[in-house]
Amino acid sequence: DGSALVENSGVAHVQFFGADAPYDASIPITKALDKFGDVLVAYQMNGKPIPRDHGGPVRIVVPGHVSARSVKWLERIAVSKNESGSSWQSGYAYKGTPPNIKSFDGVDLSKYKSVQELPVQSLICTPKAGSSIDAEEDEIEVKGWAWAGGGRNIYRVDLSIDGGKTWCQADLKEGSDQPYNRAWAWTLWEAAVCIPPELRKAGTELELIVRAVDSSYNHQPEHPDLVWNLRGILNNSWHRVKLFVKAEDA
Amino acid sequence: DGSALVENSGVAHVQFFGADAPYDASIPITKALDKFGDVLVAYQMNGKPIPRDHGGPVRIVVPGHVSARSVKWLERIAVSKNESGSSWQSGYAYKGTPPNIKSFDGVDLSKYKSVQELPVQSLICTPKAGSSIDAEEDEIEVKGWAWAGGGRNIYRVDLSIDGGKTWCQADLKEGSDQPYNRAWAWTLWEAAVCIPPELRKAGTELELIVRAVDSSYNHQPEHPDLVWNLRGILNNSWHRVKLFVKAEDA
Protein backbone atom coordinates (compact mmCIF):
# COMPACT_ATOMS: atom_id res chain seq x y z
CA ASP A 1 0.00 0.00 0.00
CA GLY A 2 2.96 2.30 -0.30
CA SER A 3 3.57 2.80 3.44
CA ALA A 4 6.83 0.85 3.32
CA LEU A 5 8.06 3.06 0.48
CA VAL A 6 7.51 6.11 2.65
CA GLU A 7 8.81 4.63 5.90
CA ASN A 8 11.96 2.92 4.60
CA SER A 9 13.19 4.62 1.44
CA GLY A 10 13.43 8.27 2.41
CA VAL A 11 11.13 9.11 -0.51
CA ALA A 12 9.07 12.09 0.65
CA HIS A 13 7.78 13.87 -2.46
CA VAL A 14 6.05 13.19 -5.79
CA GLN A 15 7.15 15.50 -8.59
CA PHE A 16 5.04 16.44 -11.62
CA PHE A 17 6.60 17.76 -14.86
CA GLY A 18 4.53 19.71 -17.39
CA ALA A 19 5.08 20.03 -21.15
CA ASP A 20 5.42 23.80 -20.62
CA ALA A 21 8.95 23.07 -19.37
CA PRO A 22 10.45 24.09 -17.06
CA TYR A 23 7.17 24.08 -15.14
CA ASP A 24 7.23 21.46 -12.42
CA ALA A 25 5.93 21.12 -8.87
CA SER A 26 5.68 18.49 -6.16
CA ILE A 27 3.50 17.37 -3.27
CA PRO A 28 4.28 15.34 -0.14
CA ILE A 29 4.03 11.62 -0.98
CA THR A 30 1.70 11.05 1.97
CA LYS A 31 -0.87 13.25 0.21
CA ALA A 32 -0.41 11.34 -3.06
CA LEU A 33 -0.80 7.93 -1.36
CA ASP A 34 -3.65 8.93 0.99
CA LYS A 35 -6.72 6.97 -0.12
CA PHE A 36 -8.91 9.79 1.18
CA GLY A 37 -6.65 12.47 -0.38
CA ASP A 38 -8.35 12.13 -3.78
CA VAL A 39 -5.34 13.14 -5.90
CA LEU A 40 -6.12 12.48 -9.59
CA VAL A 41 -4.15 11.84 -12.74
CA ALA A 42 -7.02 13.25 -14.80
CA TYR A 43 -7.62 12.67 -18.52
CA GLN A 44 -11.30 13.62 -18.58
CA MET A 45 -13.38 16.50 -17.28
CA ASN A 46 -17.17 16.01 -17.06
CA GLY A 47 -16.83 12.81 -19.13
CA LYS A 48 -14.97 14.43 -22.02
CA PRO A 49 -11.27 14.90 -22.84
CA ILE A 50 -9.81 17.79 -20.82
CA PRO A 51 -9.62 20.94 -23.01
CA ARG A 52 -6.06 22.18 -23.74
CA ASP A 53 -6.67 25.39 -21.81
CA HIS A 54 -7.46 23.31 -18.72
CA GLY A 55 -4.27 21.23 -19.03
CA GLY A 56 -5.33 18.34 -21.30
CA PRO A 57 -4.65 15.70 -22.46
CA VAL A 58 -3.43 14.79 -18.93
CA ARG A 59 -3.47 16.97 -15.84
CA ILE A 60 -2.74 16.40 -12.16
CA VAL A 61 -5.47 17.47 -9.71
CA VAL A 62 -4.40 17.93 -6.07
CA PRO A 63 -7.51 18.93 -4.12
CA GLY A 64 -6.98 20.98 -0.98
CA HIS A 65 -3.57 22.27 -2.13
CA VAL A 66 -2.68 25.53 -3.85
CA SER A 67 -3.52 25.04 -7.53
CA ALA A 68 0.11 25.56 -8.60
CA ARG A 69 0.57 21.87 -7.62
CA SER A 70 -2.15 20.70 -10.08
CA VAL A 71 0.33 20.57 -12.97
CA LYS A 72 -1.11 20.98 -16.50
CA TRP A 73 0.00 19.16 -19.69
CA LEU A 74 1.59 16.40 -17.63
CA GLU A 75 4.54 14.57 -19.21
CA ARG A 76 6.24 12.81 -16.32
CA ILE A 77 5.87 11.82 -12.64
CA ALA A 78 8.86 11.08 -10.37
CA VAL A 79 9.28 10.22 -6.69
CA SER A 80 12.14 11.84 -4.83
CA LYS A 81 13.67 12.64 -1.46
CA ASN A 82 13.48 16.38 -2.14
CA GLU A 83 10.67 18.63 -3.26
CA SER A 84 10.66 20.23 -6.71
CA GLY A 85 13.50 22.68 -7.31
CA SER A 86 11.35 24.93 -9.50
CA SER A 87 10.92 28.59 -8.72
CA TRP A 88 7.23 27.93 -8.00
CA GLN A 89 8.24 25.54 -5.23
CA SER A 90 11.76 26.17 -3.96
CA GLY A 91 11.94 29.73 -5.27
CA TYR A 92 10.20 32.81 -3.97
CA ALA A 93 6.92 32.47 -5.89
CA TYR A 94 5.00 30.50 -3.26
CA LYS A 95 6.95 31.16 -0.08
CA GLY A 96 5.05 32.84 2.74
CA THR A 97 7.93 34.80 4.23
CA PRO A 98 7.74 36.50 7.66
CA PRO A 99 6.77 40.17 7.96
CA ASN A 100 10.30 41.41 8.72
CA ILE A 101 11.58 40.31 5.30
CA LYS A 102 11.21 43.45 3.18
CA SER A 103 13.49 42.39 0.30
CA PHE A 104 14.64 39.07 -1.18
CA ASP A 105 18.26 40.31 -1.48
CA GLY A 106 20.49 37.84 0.33
CA VAL A 107 17.56 35.85 1.71
CA ASP A 108 18.11 32.07 2.05
CA LEU A 109 14.76 30.85 0.69
CA SER A 110 15.47 27.28 1.80
CA LYS A 111 14.69 28.50 5.34
CA TYR A 112 11.03 29.00 4.39
CA LYS A 113 8.46 26.38 3.45
CA SER A 114 6.61 26.31 0.13
CA VAL A 115 2.85 26.71 0.20
CA GLN A 116 0.86 23.52 -0.13
CA GLU A 117 -2.40 23.87 1.85
CA LEU A 118 -4.04 27.29 2.06
CA PRO A 119 -5.69 28.81 5.16
CA VAL A 120 -9.44 29.29 5.67
CA GLN A 121 -11.05 32.10 3.70
CA SER A 122 -14.45 33.50 2.65
CA LEU A 123 -15.92 36.06 0.28
CA ILE A 124 -19.11 38.12 -0.06
CA CYS A 125 -20.46 37.92 -3.64
CA THR A 126 -23.84 39.66 -3.06
CA PRO A 127 -24.33 42.57 -2.52
CA LYS A 128 -21.55 44.04 -4.65
CA ALA A 129 -19.14 46.50 -3.08
CA GLY A 130 -20.48 50.06 -3.38
CA SER A 131 -24.14 49.02 -3.59
CA SER A 132 -26.83 51.23 -2.12
CA ILE A 133 -29.66 50.08 0.12
CA ASP A 134 -32.89 51.81 1.06
CA ALA A 135 -33.17 53.37 4.51
CA GLU A 136 -36.46 51.43 4.94
CA GLU A 137 -34.77 48.03 4.53
CA ASP A 138 -34.23 46.48 7.94
CA GLU A 139 -32.29 43.53 6.56
CA ILE A 140 -30.23 42.73 3.47
CA GLU A 141 -29.74 39.42 1.70
CA VAL A 142 -26.07 38.41 1.58
CA LYS A 143 -24.50 35.50 -0.35
CA GLY A 144 -21.01 34.15 -0.83
CA TRP A 145 -18.65 31.23 -0.44
CA ALA A 146 -16.10 29.94 2.04
CA TRP A 147 -13.29 27.41 1.69
CA ALA A 148 -10.34 25.99 3.60
CA GLY A 149 -7.23 24.14 2.43
CA GLY A 150 -6.46 20.53 3.29
CA GLY A 151 -10.06 19.51 2.72
CA ARG A 152 -11.16 21.06 6.00
CA ASN A 153 -14.89 21.70 6.14
CA ILE A 154 -16.50 25.08 6.76
CA TYR A 155 -18.09 24.86 10.21
CA ARG A 156 -19.38 28.42 10.50
CA VAL A 157 -19.68 31.68 8.56
CA ASP A 158 -20.10 34.84 10.67
CA LEU A 159 -21.33 38.21 9.38
CA SER A 160 -21.07 41.64 11.00
CA ILE A 161 -22.38 45.09 10.08
CA ASP A 162 -20.90 46.90 13.11
CA GLY A 163 -17.15 46.38 12.63
CA GLY A 164 -17.06 43.00 14.38
CA LYS A 165 -18.71 44.00 17.67
CA THR A 166 -21.64 41.63 16.99
CA TRP A 167 -22.01 38.72 14.56
CA CYS A 168 -24.76 36.60 13.06
CA GLN A 169 -24.41 33.25 11.30
CA ALA A 170 -25.06 32.45 7.67
CA ASP A 171 -26.97 29.34 6.57
CA LEU A 172 -24.53 26.91 4.97
CA LYS A 173 -25.84 25.65 1.61
CA GLU A 174 -24.33 23.65 -1.27
CA GLY A 175 -21.00 22.13 -0.24
CA SER A 176 -21.83 22.01 3.46
CA ASP A 177 -22.42 18.24 3.28
CA GLN A 178 -18.98 17.29 1.95
CA PRO A 179 -17.28 14.40 3.83
CA TYR A 180 -15.17 15.19 6.90
CA ASN A 181 -11.86 16.79 5.91
CA ARG A 182 -12.51 15.98 2.25
CA ALA A 183 -14.27 19.27 1.53
CA TRP A 184 -12.38 20.09 -1.66
CA ALA A 185 -15.06 22.44 -3.04
CA TRP A 186 -16.48 25.77 -1.90
CA THR A 187 -19.26 25.88 0.67
CA LEU A 188 -21.91 28.36 -0.44
CA TRP A 189 -23.78 30.37 2.19
CA GLU A 190 -26.65 32.84 2.51
CA ALA A 191 -27.66 35.20 5.28
CA ALA A 192 -30.24 37.85 6.08
CA VAL A 193 -28.25 40.53 7.90
CA CYS A 194 -30.24 42.88 10.11
CA ILE A 195 -29.44 46.56 9.78
CA PRO A 196 -30.06 48.24 13.16
CA PRO A 197 -32.16 51.45 13.00
CA GLU A 198 -29.26 53.70 14.04
CA LEU A 199 -27.33 52.65 10.90
CA ARG A 200 -30.26 53.18 8.52
CA LYS A 201 -29.72 56.92 8.11
CA ALA A 202 -29.60 58.38 4.61
CA GLY A 203 -26.05 58.75 3.33
CA THR A 204 -24.51 56.44 5.95
CA GLU A 205 -21.61 54.26 4.83
CA LEU A 206 -21.87 50.68 6.06
CA GLU A 207 -19.23 47.95 6.12
CA LEU A 208 -20.37 44.36 5.80
CA ILE A 209 -17.81 41.84 7.10
CA VAL A 210 -17.55 38.07 6.64
CA ARG A 211 -15.27 35.56 8.36
CA ALA A 212 -15.33 31.76 8.28
CA VAL A 213 -14.30 29.02 10.73
CA ASP A 214 -12.98 25.68 9.49
CA SER A 215 -13.13 22.15 10.93
CA SER A 216 -9.95 22.79 12.96
CA TYR A 217 -11.59 25.94 14.41
CA ASN A 218 -9.08 28.09 12.60
CA HIS A 219 -10.31 31.68 12.10
CA GLN A 220 -9.47 34.28 9.47
CA PRO A 221 -7.28 37.17 10.65
CA GLU A 222 -8.94 40.53 11.24
CA HIS A 223 -6.59 42.66 9.12
CA PRO A 224 -4.20 42.02 6.20
CA ASP A 225 -1.25 43.51 8.13
CA LEU A 226 -1.40 40.50 10.47
CA VAL A 227 -0.40 38.19 7.61
CA TRP A 228 1.69 40.62 5.51
CA ASN A 229 4.47 39.08 3.40
CA LEU A 230 6.66 40.38 0.62
CA ARG A 231 4.92 38.40 -2.14
CA GLY A 232 1.48 39.52 -1.03
CA ILE A 233 0.16 35.97 -0.97
CA LEU A 234 -1.88 34.06 1.64
CA ASN A 235 -4.02 37.07 2.59
CA ASN A 236 -7.09 35.45 4.12
CA SER A 237 -8.17 38.36 6.30
CA TRP A 238 -11.85 39.26 6.81
CA HIS A 239 -13.60 40.27 3.59
CA ARG A 240 -15.16 43.73 3.89
CA VAL A 241 -17.72 45.24 1.52
CA LYS A 242 -18.75 48.91 1.65
CA LEU A 243 -22.44 49.72 1.26
CA PHE A 244 -24.31 53.02 1.25
CA VAL A 245 -27.72 53.96 2.59
CA LYS A 246 -29.47 55.94 -0.16
CA ALA A 247 -29.85 59.65 0.34
CA GLU A 248 -33.46 60.63 1.03
CA ASP A 249 -33.90 62.47 -2.24
CA ALA A 250 -32.36 59.60 -4.32
CA ASP B 1 -8.48 -1.45 2.76
CA GLY B 2 -11.69 -0.13 4.26
CA SER B 3 -12.49 2.41 1.53
CA ALA B 4 -15.51 0.40 0.38
CA LEU B 5 -16.86 0.37 3.94
CA VAL B 6 -16.72 4.14 3.99
CA GLU B 7 -17.99 4.73 0.47
CA ASN B 8 -20.86 2.23 0.37
CA SER B 9 -22.16 1.58 3.87
CA GLY B 10 -22.84 5.02 5.24
CA VAL B 11 -20.52 4.24 8.16
CA ALA B 12 -18.85 7.55 9.07
CA HIS B 13 -17.66 7.28 12.68
CA VAL B 14 -15.77 4.98 15.03
CA GLN B 15 -17.01 5.04 18.62
CA PHE B 16 -14.92 4.22 21.68
CA PHE B 17 -16.50 3.19 25.01
CA GLY B 18 -14.59 3.50 28.29
CA ALA B 19 -15.03 1.46 31.47
CA ASP B 20 -15.80 4.73 33.27
CA ALA B 21 -19.29 4.49 31.70
CA PRO B 22 -20.99 6.50 30.40
CA TYR B 23 -17.77 7.99 28.97
CA ASP B 24 -17.63 7.52 25.20
CA ALA B 25 -16.43 9.51 22.21
CA SER B 26 -15.98 9.03 18.47
CA ILE B 27 -13.79 10.11 15.56
CA PRO B 28 -14.46 10.22 11.81
CA ILE B 29 -13.77 6.79 10.30
CA THR B 30 -11.48 8.34 7.66
CA LYS B 31 -9.12 9.36 10.48
CA ALA B 32 -9.24 5.84 11.98
CA LEU B 33 -8.51 4.18 8.60
CA ASP B 34 -5.89 6.69 7.40
CA LYS B 35 -2.59 4.82 7.24
CA PHE B 36 -0.79 8.08 7.95
CA GLY B 37 -3.27 9.05 10.71
CA ASP B 38 -1.42 6.96 13.32
CA VAL B 39 -4.45 6.16 15.51
CA LEU B 40 -3.46 3.54 18.11
CA VAL B 41 -5.23 0.94 20.21
CA ALA B 42 -2.46 1.19 22.81
CA TYR B 43 -1.69 -1.42 25.48
CA GLN B 44 1.88 -0.28 26.22
CA MET B 45 3.58 3.04 26.95
CA ASN B 46 7.38 3.19 26.64
CA GLY B 47 7.48 -0.64 26.40
CA LYS B 48 5.56 -1.25 29.61
CA PRO B 49 1.86 -1.77 30.43
CA ILE B 50 0.01 1.56 30.47
CA PRO B 51 -0.48 2.77 34.09
CA ARG B 52 -4.11 2.91 35.25
CA ASP B 53 -3.93 6.71 35.63
CA HIS B 54 -3.03 6.95 31.94
CA GLY B 55 -5.95 4.75 30.84
CA GLY B 56 -4.48 1.21 30.98
CA PRO B 57 -4.81 -1.65 30.34
CA VAL B 58 -6.04 -0.45 26.91
CA ARG B 59 -6.36 3.14 25.72
CA ILE B 60 -7.17 4.78 22.38
CA VAL B 61 -4.67 7.39 21.15
CA VAL B 62 -5.91 9.78 18.44
CA PRO B 63 -3.01 12.08 17.59
CA GLY B 64 -3.89 15.52 16.24
CA HIS B 65 -7.36 15.48 17.79
CA VAL B 66 -8.56 16.97 21.08
CA SER B 67 -7.53 14.50 23.79
CA ALA B 68 -11.15 13.88 24.82
CA ARG B 69 -11.24 11.44 21.86
CA SER B 70 -8.31 9.37 23.24
CA VAL B 71 -10.65 7.27 25.39
CA LYS B 72 -9.14 5.69 28.53
CA TRP B 73 -9.94 2.22 29.99
CA LEU B 74 -11.27 1.05 26.62
CA GLU B 75 -13.94 -1.70 26.71
CA ARG B 76 -15.54 -1.59 23.28
CA ILE B 77 -15.18 -0.15 19.75
CA ALA B 78 -18.14 0.26 17.36
CA VAL B 79 -18.59 1.70 13.87
CA SER B 80 -21.70 3.77 13.21
CA LYS B 81 -23.42 6.23 10.92
CA ASN B 82 -23.63 8.83 13.68
CA GLU B 83 -21.06 10.28 16.02
CA SER B 84 -21.10 9.53 19.74
CA GLY B 85 -24.17 10.79 21.56
CA SER B 86 -22.21 11.53 24.75
CA SER B 87 -22.24 14.97 26.32
CA TRP B 88 -18.52 15.29 25.48
CA GLN B 89 -19.35 14.92 21.80
CA SER B 90 -22.96 15.77 20.99
CA GLY B 91 -23.51 17.80 24.15
CA TYR B 92 -22.18 21.24 25.00
CA ALA B 93 -18.81 20.20 26.48
CA TYR B 94 -16.79 20.41 23.26
CA LYS B 95 -18.92 22.59 21.02
CA GLY B 96 -17.32 25.82 19.80
CA THR B 97 -20.46 27.94 19.65
CA PRO B 98 -20.57 31.35 17.90
CA PRO B 99 -20.05 34.56 19.89
CA ASN B 100 -23.70 35.60 19.85
CA ILE B 101 -24.74 32.55 21.90
CA LYS B 102 -24.65 33.86 25.49
CA SER B 103 -26.69 31.04 27.11
CA PHE B 104 -27.39 27.39 26.29
CA ASP B 105 -31.12 27.79 27.13
CA GLY B 106 -33.11 26.63 24.12
CA VAL B 107 -30.04 26.20 21.92
CA ASP B 108 -30.17 23.32 19.42
CA LEU B 109 -26.66 21.92 19.92
CA SER B 110 -26.99 19.64 16.87
CA LYS B 111 -26.49 22.81 14.78
CA TYR B 112 -22.88 23.06 15.99
CA LYS B 113 -19.99 20.68 15.30
CA SER B 114 -18.03 18.89 17.99
CA VAL B 115 -14.34 19.68 18.32
CA GLN B 116 -11.98 17.16 16.74
CA GLU B 117 -8.86 18.98 15.49
CA LEU B 118 -7.63 22.02 17.41
CA PRO B 119 -6.29 25.25 15.87
CA VAL B 120 -2.63 26.38 15.88
CA GLN B 121 -1.29 27.64 19.22
CA SER B 122 1.97 28.51 20.99
CA LEU B 123 3.24 29.32 24.47
CA ILE B 124 6.17 31.12 26.07
CA CYS B 125 7.68 29.00 28.91
CA THR B 126 10.80 31.11 29.58
CA PRO B 127 10.95 33.82 30.91
CA LYS B 128 8.09 33.42 33.37
CA ALA B 129 5.36 36.06 33.47
CA GLY B 130 6.31 38.87 35.85
CA SER B 131 10.06 38.32 35.56
CA SER B 132 12.42 41.25 35.77
CA ILE B 133 15.27 42.00 33.39
CA ASP B 134 18.27 44.28 33.78
CA ALA B 135 18.24 47.59 31.93
CA GLU B 136 21.70 46.67 30.55
CA GLU B 137 20.43 43.51 28.82
CA ASP B 138 19.94 44.23 25.13
CA GLU B 139 18.40 40.85 24.44
CA ILE B 140 16.56 38.16 26.36
CA GLU B 141 16.53 34.41 25.82
CA VAL B 142 13.00 33.11 25.20
CA LYS B 143 11.84 29.48 24.97
CA GLY B 144 8.55 27.71 24.43
CA TRP B 145 6.52 25.34 22.31
CA ALA B 146 4.03 25.50 19.44
CA TRP B 147 1.55 22.95 18.14
CA ALA B 148 -1.29 22.61 15.64
CA GLY B 149 -4.13 20.08 15.37
CA GLY B 150 -4.52 17.63 12.51
CA GLY B 151 -0.78 16.88 12.52
CA ARG B 152 -0.01 20.19 10.82
CA ASN B 153 3.61 21.20 11.21
CA ILE B 154 4.80 24.44 12.79
CA TYR B 155 6.28 26.50 9.94
CA ARG B 156 7.15 29.65 11.86
CA VAL B 157 7.16 31.14 15.36
CA ASP B 158 7.13 34.97 15.54
CA LEU B 159 8.03 37.03 18.61
CA SER B 160 7.32 40.70 19.32
CA ILE B 161 8.25 43.05 22.14
CA ASP B 162 6.47 46.11 20.72
CA GLY B 163 2.83 44.98 20.66
CA GLY B 164 3.05 43.33 17.26
CA LYS B 165 4.47 46.26 15.26
CA THR B 166 7.67 44.29 14.52
CA TRP B 167 8.45 40.58 14.74
CA CYS B 168 11.48 38.31 14.82
CA GLN B 169 11.57 34.55 14.26
CA ALA B 170 12.44 31.84 16.74
CA ASP B 171 14.72 28.93 15.85
CA LEU B 172 12.64 25.77 15.61
CA LYS B 173 14.21 22.92 17.63
CA GLU B 174 13.04 19.44 18.69
CA GLY B 175 9.87 18.46 16.86
CA SER B 176 10.56 20.66 13.84
CA ASP B 177 11.58 17.60 11.75
CA GLN B 178 8.32 15.66 12.15
CA PRO B 179 6.90 14.28 8.87
CA TYR B 180 4.60 16.48 6.78
CA ASN B 181 1.16 16.81 8.40
CA ARG B 182 2.04 14.06 10.89
CA ALA B 183 3.44 16.47 13.48
CA TRP B 184 1.59 15.03 16.46
CA ALA B 185 4.05 16.40 19.06
CA TRP B 186 5.02 19.88 20.16
CA THR B 187 7.67 21.82 18.26
CA LEU B 188 10.08 23.42 20.73
CA TRP B 189 11.60 26.80 19.87
CA GLU B 190 14.16 29.28 21.15
CA ALA B 191 14.82 32.92 20.37
CA ALA B 192 17.03 35.81 21.39
CA VAL B 193 14.67 38.79 21.42
CA CYS B 194 16.30 42.20 21.10
CA ILE B 195 15.09 44.87 23.51
CA PRO B 196 15.40 48.26 21.80
CA PRO B 197 17.13 50.96 23.91
CA GLU B 198 13.96 53.05 24.28
CA LEU B 199 12.27 50.15 26.13
CA ARG B 200 15.21 49.51 28.46
CA LYS B 201 14.28 52.17 30.99
CA ALA B 202 14.12 51.25 34.67
CA GLY B 203 10.59 50.37 35.80
CA THR B 204 9.23 49.93 32.27
CA GLU B 205 6.64 47.20 31.78
CA LEU B 206 7.26 45.10 28.67
CA GLU B 207 4.97 42.66 26.91
CA LEU B 208 6.50 39.72 25.08
CA ILE B 209 4.20 38.18 22.46
CA VAL B 210 4.39 34.87 20.59
CA ARG B 211 2.33 33.62 17.64
CA ALA B 212 2.82 30.55 15.46
CA VAL B 213 2.03 29.71 11.83
CA ASP B 214 1.14 26.15 10.80
CA SER B 215 1.63 24.19 7.57
CA SER B 216 -1.65 25.54 6.18
CA TYR B 217 -0.44 29.10 6.94
CA ASN B 218 -3.11 29.46 9.59
CA HIS B 219 -2.29 32.16 12.14
CA GLN B 220 -3.31 32.59 15.78
CA PRO B 221 -5.86 35.35 16.45
CA GLU B 222 -4.61 38.57 18.01
CA HIS B 223 -7.10 38.75 20.91
CA PRO B 224 -9.31 36.23 22.78
CA ASP B 225 -12.47 38.23 22.01
CA LEU B 226 -12.06 37.24 18.34
CA VAL B 227 -12.69 33.58 19.25
CA TRP B 228 -14.95 34.05 22.28
CA ASN B 229 -17.46 31.27 22.98
CA LEU B 230 -19.70 30.40 25.92
CA ARG B 231 -17.64 27.38 27.01
CA GLY B 232 -14.38 29.32 26.94
CA ILE B 233 -12.66 26.67 24.82
CA LEU B 234 -10.53 26.93 21.67
CA ASN B 235 -8.79 30.13 22.77
CA ASN B 236 -5.62 30.10 20.67
CA SER B 237 -4.94 33.83 20.69
CA TRP B 238 -1.42 35.26 20.93
CA HIS B 239 0.33 34.37 24.20
CA ARG B 240 1.48 37.49 26.05
CA VAL B 241 3.94 37.59 28.95
CA LYS B 242 4.53 40.73 31.06
CA LEU B 243 8.12 41.56 32.00
CA PHE B 244 9.61 44.41 34.01
CA VAL B 245 12.83 46.33 33.62
CA LYS B 246 14.45 46.48 37.08
CA ALA B 247 14.36 49.77 38.88
CA GLU B 248 17.83 51.39 39.02
CA ASP B 249 18.14 50.97 42.79
CA ALA B 250 17.00 47.33 42.73
Side-chain angles (χ1 to χ4, degrees), chain B residues 85 126 143 158 174:
Chain B
T126 305
K143 294 184 182 183
D158 295 339
E174 190 178 352

Side-chain angles (χ1 to χ4, degrees), chain A residues 168-238:
Chain A
C168 64
Q169 280 75 53
D171 293 322
L172 305 184
K173 300 288 188 179
E174 190 177 355
S176 61
D177 59 350
Q178 295 176 84
Y180 179 74
N181 279 6
R182 294 168 79 190
W184 313 125
W186 289 349
T187 293
L188 305 183
W189 52 264
E190 296 179 17
V193 175
C194 292
I195 314 292
E198 66 271 20
L199 295 179
R200 274 186 269 133
K201 290 181 182 123
T204 301
E205 183 180 295
L206 301 175
E207 188 181 58
L208 188 60
I209 301 174
V210 69
R211 67 175 189 186
V213 178
D214 75 10
S215 52
S216 285
Y217 285 91
N218 281 302
H219 281 66
Q220 298 181 234
E222 189 174 1
H223 296 291
D225 60 346
L226 295 166
V227 288
W228 186 94
N229 61 80
L230 189 52
R231 284 282 294 168
I233 60 175
L234 297 162
N235 175 10
N236 68 326
S237 60
W238 299 355

Side-chain angles (χ1 to χ4, degrees), chain B residues 2 19 27-28 61 73 94 99 104 110 112 116 133 142 145 160 165 177 209 211 220 222 226 241:
Chain B
I27 60 171
V61 177
W73 312 297
Y94 289 97
F104 285 122
S110 70
Y112 306 105
Q116 293 284 354
I133 59 171
V142 186
W145 57 262
S160 179
K165 285 196 284 292
D177 59 349
I209 301 174
R211 66 174 190 186
Q220 298 181 233
E222 188 174 3
L226 295 166
V241 162

